[in-house]
Amino acid sequence: MHRPLFGIESVTITGWKLVGYVGTILFAGRWLVQLWASKRSKQVTMPRMFWYMSIVGSLMALSYFIFGKNDSVGILQNSFPFTVACYNLYLDISHKRRSMDEDA
């Protein structure tokens, strides 16, 4: 994963960098999902996909910073959003389950 896959100008792309780039795109792209959901419902909405993209994007970025670069700043920077996204996903799922039980 550390061997160069290809290069673009002066940037060398390794497998770990690819993991990091995809994680960054997922983590940033979650805001487009949130914007689309809010625009569709005409109110502020946090769709469950937002939390899934947060978790996967954070895990991919964490993997890059742990295994690819070994950078403690990047590890700390991505650990907190990962735990918050996991907690919010848990709350979203448990809230949905409770409201389904109350409706039954």
Side-chain angles (χ1 to χ4, degrees), residues 16-32:
W16 282 119
K17 277 191 180 178
L18 206 52
V19 168
Y21 288 143
V22 171
T24 299
I25 289 167
L26 276 172
F27 196 74
R30 68 200 173 118
W31 290 109
L32 295 174

Side-chain angles (χ1 to χ4, degrees), residues 1-100:
M1 292 282 284
H2 291 284
R3 278 194 266 147
L5 298 174
F6 58 92
I8 301 171
E9 303 225 359
S10 63
V11 178
T12 303
I13 305 299
T14 64
W16 282 119
K17 277 191 180 178
L18 206 52
V19 168
Y21 288 143
V22 171
T24 299
I25 289 167
L26 276 172
F27 196 74
R30 68 200 173 118
W31 290 109
L32 295 174
V33 170
Q34 191 272 333
L35 175 69
W36 176 77
S38 293
K39 186 173 179 155
R40 190 169 161 212
S41 68
K42 295 184 178 20
Q43 65 181 2
V44 178
T45 304
M46 298 302 273
R48 193 171 288 173
M49 182 57 69
F50 179 91
W51 302 118
Y52 287 128
M53 289 175 74
S54 297
I55 291 168
V56 173
S58 291
L59 276 178
M60 291 180 81
L62 271 170
S63 296
Y64 167 72
F65 284 115
I66 292 170
F67 303 112
K69 190 168 175 136
N70 196 13
D71 180 0
S72 60
V73 173
I75 293 167
L76 288 173
Q77 178 181 348
N78 288 282
S79 296
F80 183 69
F82 171 73
T83 56
V84 171
C86 287
Y87 178 69
N88 282 325
L89 181 61
Y90 164 76
L91 287 177
D92 186 38
I93 290 170
S94 62
H95 179 310
K96 182 95 168 177
R97 191 172 293 138
R98 272 195 312 269
S99 55
M100 287 175 68

